[in-house]
Amino acid sequence: MAMFKNESHLWQSTCDAFEDEHLPGAVALWTGLYACQECNHEIASNEGDLLPPANHHRHASPEAIRWKLIVYADQRAKEF
Ligand SMILES: [Zn+2]
């Protein structure tokens, strides 16, 4: 499970991007942390990179890897 120390870096979102499931090897639409919906294995990916492939890790069940965005990394610089 993803962890953080300072909650001022995170805020809860209702964005639909967190509901979408992505196939292994698909292009990551967002930069951030993704979790496998079968086993909760977490990875980091950058927007435009390929999500890890189907053989990235194995499951005890025959279910395939399905990646879901769990933390979005906002790359815009803050203006003070
Ligand atoms: Zn998994």
Side-chain angles (χ1 to χ4, degrees), residues 4-29:
F4 65 96
K5 183 172 183 178
N6 185 337
E7 65 185 36
S8 69
H9 293 287
L10 296 173
W11 56 276
Q12 190 167 19
S13 170
T14 58
C15 180
D16 290 342
F18 293 97
E19 303 299 327
D20 296 337
E21 291 186 347
H22 307 278
L23 295 174
V27 174
L29 300 178

Side-chain angles (χ1 to χ4, degrees), residues 9-77:
H9 293 287
L10 296 173
W11 56 276
Q12 190 167 19
S13 170
T14 58
C15 180
D16 290 342
F18 293 97
E19 303 299 327
D20 296 337
E21 291 186 347
H22 307 278
L23 295 174
V27 174
L29 300 178
W30 310 98
T31 295
L33 300 179
Y34 291 77
C36 173
Q37 294 307 287
E38 179 65 16
C39 68
N40 290 320
H41 184 94
E42 298 170 354
I43 57 102
S45 189
N46 291 316
E47 179 183 340
D49 289 351
L50 299 181
L51 293 169
N55 63 356
H56 179 260
H57 61 276
R58 292 176 181 244
H59 296 141
S61 71
E63 295 297 323
I65 296 171
R66 297 175 327 279
W67 298 111
K68 197 172 198 178
L69 180 69
I70 59 169
V71 177
Y72 169 71
D74 188 356
Q75 300 179 305
R76 295 172 295 175

